[in-house]
Amino acid sequence: MWLRELVLKAKLIGFQSHSLTEDRMDPELDSLADPRTNDDVIAAFRAQNGRVGGMFAGADLVLLTTRGARTGLARTTPVAARHEPDRFLVFATNAGAARDPAWLLNLRAYPMLEVEAPGVDRVERFAARAVEQSVEESARLYALQAADDPAFAAYRERTPRAFPVIALERIDDGSGQRRRA
């Protein structure tokens, strides 16, 4: 137990040593403390009520489960989001890469999806419809996000590509109640 605490404290201050963690620390605990892959981020998000550590500590994330544009298979992806009263906004930056992220192509092909978002005492799942915003509205919303999060301003410097903004709108079940996925 003391070794786990020592390793976690060392990670918090930036010290990393494979000799401390090799075969002595629970890999699941390690990936939750400092997620490195999308699978780690997804596991940490679900296990910790939408809160993720490591480089994602403090980030507003949601999980999108989309249908693959070519395969039709379910794909879950962690994405930075901006919460508004009746919707979430997600930004197709692909970390400033020259091409759109795969999840955007999936949403363009199949705009119905499942969203997992941090809730009060657990991760909330709901069905949603993806609505791509106009070029002008995307630019306006992106500017708000970049003003709040410097990483988004940095993405803009990496590529001349416009970053689409997608609104994730909850779907009602017809009774006025929001449908859970």
Side-chain angles (χ1 to χ4, degrees):
M1 184 65 150
W2 66 269
L3 181 59
R4 284 185 185 171
E5 292 174 333
L6 175 64
V7 171
L8 288 175
K9 286 178 184 176
K11 283 185 173 190
L12 287 174
I13 62 170
F15 177 81
Q16 293 185 355
S17 169
H18 295 292
S19 63
L20 277 179
T21 60
E22 189 174 314
D23 296 326
R24 291 185 218 148
M25 187 170 161
D26 182 352
E28 186 174 322
L29 177 61
D30 186 42
S31 68
L32 293 179
D34 187 11
R36 308 255 169 142
T37 68
N38 277 356
D39 288 342
D40 290 345
V41 173
I42 293 165
F45 186 96
R46 289 175 173 159
Q48 300 170 158
N49 191 29
R51 287 159 190 75
V52 180
M55 65 186 254
F56 300 102
D60 293 323
L61 299 177
V62 295
L63 301 182
L64 308 181
T65 300
T66 61
R67 191 169 156 194
R70 290 181 296 176
T71 66
L73 298 174
R75 305 282 186 212
T76 300
T77 309
V79 179
R82 182 180 189 89
H83 185 250
E84 292 193 335
D86 272 355
R87 64 186 186 171
F88 285 92
L89 300 173
V90 292
F91 306 86
T93 64
N94 207 8
R99 72 172 87 149
D100 291 331
W103 61 261
L104 178 62
L105 305 177
N106 294 345
L107 289 176
R108 285 176 172 161
Y110 301 103
M112 307 306 280
L113 72 149
E114 178 183 276
V115 177
E116 294 174 65
V120 175
D121 59 352
R122 64 179 168 76
V123 171
E124 180 185 5
R125 292 179 151 200
F126 57 89
R129 176 181 301 105
V131 179
E132 190 165 350
Q133 303 301 286
S134 69
V135 172
E136 297 81 15
E137 184 65 359
S138 287
R140 184 187 75 76
L141 293 168
Y142 193 87
L144 292 173
Q145 184 69 9
D148 289 345
D149 187 338
F152 283 83
Y155 299 153
R156 173 64 52 228
E157 297 171 11
R158 294 182 189 162
T159 183
R161 170 176 78 82
F163 296 134
V165 177
I166 308 298
L168 306 174
E169 299 176 349
R170 293 174 187 254
I171 297 174
D172 288 338
D173 67 4
S175 68
Q177 298 292 319
R178 298 283 165 95
R179 189 173 82 180
R180 289 208 180 278

